[in-house]
Amino acid sequence: MSIEKIVWGSHDGKDCYLITLTNGKLTASFTNYGGALVSLIVPDKNGEKADVVLGYDDLNGYINGKSCQGALIGRYANRIGGAKFTLGGQEIKIAANDNGVNHLHGGNVGYDKKVWEVKETGDSDAPYVTFSYTSPDGEENYPGTVQLDVTYTLKDNALEIAYSAVSDKDTVMNFTNHAYFNLAGVGSGNILNHTAKIYAEHYTPVDSLLIPTGEIAEVSGTPFDFTEEKRIGEDIESGKQPGGYDHNYVLGTSFGTRRAAEIYEPISGRLMTVYTDMPAIQFYIGGGISAEPGKKGTQLFKNAGLCLESQFCPDTPNQTNFKPSCVYKAGEKYSSVTSYIFTTK
């Protein structure tokens, strides 16, 4: 069990670190720039280890990157339609940084582009690092000063991400991690031959700009049905879902830990199981990644990795039928845990 912390560079006059945790089964590296997961070394069915998270070789890659690789997202992950919402009877306008119309991942400068404080590390059977960020009242026009702590912990064969936040004013909050996984390992091709099982019978259909229509629809009989294990590329290649997946799955209408999804890569035998207490999860297969330099001389490209982002449903501030609410009263604690568990079969 070990923790290593080195200076990786600086941004805006602040030191940025690379922090590596090892527990004997997994090795994970993080940076306080964007609170990002930089690498995750996981064994395959033969015990051979590989990095299963996309990203960059150096800090400049994360600073200049366009696809939120491995980063923590806030104040509101995913999209808010029309770049506005009403809170306490007041209309709040936020950045229209998505197609010039909608709001995405917290605005023009989201939490993924901030230097977080390294609040605490712990070296034990379950090594951890806690990053802290204070989002001031009015940042990206969101109300309330939010104090947010995110703790990454290696627990046996799992990476656990725990979020804890509080605001001094009523506000909306929705945080997630934007890691792109490829269970065959970095540089091994696309993820279309991975299989997915998503434990959700409903999803939220979207319009042409990926804003929910307000409907909560059954996945049965649609290309969005992953209630039984299915190869990710199956309905893409058949023409049933040529645009791929960037869709929100409804896990429930209340909080409570549940199994959300399983991803399997047949050649390595790696199986990733996701548990979360959030009510929804976004399944995104990297369709919007454009060519940019990745790790070890590789290029990031469309469908190179997949995301499973635990969250409130997109546009919940404007959708009264999406439950539970993402509005937190002043002093009310936001608390959530998502775990990515790695086994083989």
Side-chain angles (χ1 to χ4, degrees):
M1 318 306 167
S2 68
I3 296 177
E4 180 185 74
K5 178 182 177 183
I6 63 171
V7 176
W8 213 27
S10 64
H11 182 69
D12 285 346
K14 300 175 182 177
D15 285 338
C16 297
Y17 300 95
L18 185 68
I19 298 168
T20 301
L21 310 180
T22 303
N23 73 345
K25 293 187 177 180
L26 304 177
T27 299
S29 294
F30 311 87
T31 178
N32 59 314
Y33 180 82
L37 170 63
V38 173
S39 66
L40 183 60
I41 311 299
V42 177
D44 68 7
K45 62 185 177 183
N46 298 314
E48 297 294 323
K49 295 181 178 181
D51 185 359
V52 299
V53 172
L54 305 187
Y56 311 99
D57 282 328
D58 56 30
L59 179 63
N60 284 336
Y62 290 88
I63 292 171
N64 298 317
K66 306 298 183 184
S67 48
C68 301
Q69 294 287 331
L72 297 174
I73 307 297
R75 183 172 304 188
Y76 197 92
N78 216 311
R79 291 173 171 84
I80 295 178
K84 60 184 179 181
F85 60 93
T86 299
L87 182 66
Q90 178 184 357
E91 183 178 89
I92 297 172
K93 295 182 179 180
I94 48 181
N97 64 316
D98 184 41
N99 289 298
V101 179
N102 302 311
H103 182 83
L104 177 63
H105 289 339
N108 293 317
V109 185
Y111 295 180
D112 59 304
K113 295 298 183 184
K114 303 292 185 178
V115 179
W116 294 54
E117 175 194 351
V118 182
K119 184 175 181 179
E120 187 177 6
T121 59
D123 186 2
S124 63
D125 289 344
Y128 69 89
V129 57
T130 299
F131 295 127
S132 181
Y133 178 66
T134 300
S135 176
D137 182 27
E139 183 174 54
E140 295 290 338
N141 214 34
Y142 284 98
T145 296
V146 169
Q147 176 60 51
L148 169 63
D149 291 344
V150 179
T151 299
Y152 292 103
T153 306
L154 296 185
K155 291 187 174 180
D156 194 41
N157 58 338
L159 171 63
E160 179 188 275
I161 310 175
Y163 305 80
S164 178
V166 66
S167 173
D168 63 359
K169 293 182 181 178
D170 294 0
T171 195
V172 298
M173 291 192 277
N174 187 27
F175 312 115
T176 198
N177 178 276
H178 210 293
Y180 292 79
F181 296 95
N182 185 320
L183 298 186
V186 170
S188 61
N190 66 43
I191 47 77
L192 298 182
N193 283 328
H194 288 49
T195 65
K197 185 173 183 179
I198 302 176
Y199 291 82
E201 296 181 353
H202 295 86
Y203 77 110
T204 51
V206 292
D207 65 17
S208 61
L209 295 180
L210 300 180
I211 299 300
T213 63
E215 180 186 5
I216 299 174
E218 293 187 0
V219 299
S220 179
T222 77
F224 305 103
D225 189 350
F226 285 91
T227 53
E228 298 294 333
E229 184 180 15
K230 182 173 69 175
R231 182 174 165 271
I232 291 172
E234 179 178 324
D235 287 336
I236 298 171
E237 294 160 0
S238 71
K240 293 180 181 178
Q241 184 59 23
Y245 299 96
D246 189 3
H247 293 82
N248 172 66
Y249 285 79
V250 179
L251 303 174
T253 58
S254 61
F255 300 107
T257 301
R258 66 206 104 195
R259 182 163 49 181
E262 294 175 355
I263 303 294
Y264 175 64
E265 199 286 306
I267 296 176
S268 69
R270 291 188 182 94
L271 174 68
M272 180 176 75
T273 304
V274 184
Y275 284 83
T276 186
D277 54 12
M278 292 301 286
I281 198 162
Q282 186 83 4
F283 179 47
Y284 174 48
I285 63 169
I289 299 178
S290 58
E292 53 177 323
K295 295 177 179 176
K296 300 178 182 177
T298 63
Q299 287 282 310
L300 298 174
F301 58 92
K302 181 179 180 179
N303 303 147
L306 63 90
C307 303
L308 285 164
E309 305 159 66
S310 55
Q311 60 174 5
F312 287 102
C313 291
D315 203 33
T316 286
N318 295 315
Q319 304 283 353
T320 57
N321 60 323
F322 289 180
K323 306 294 183 185
S325 171
C326 63
V327 174
Y328 284 78
K329 299 292 186 181
E332 182 181 2
K333 187 177 180 181
Y334 178 115
S335 182
S336 176
V337 177
T338 296
S339 296
Y340 300 86
I341 302 170
F342 296 90
T343 54
T344 60
K345 70 174 185 177

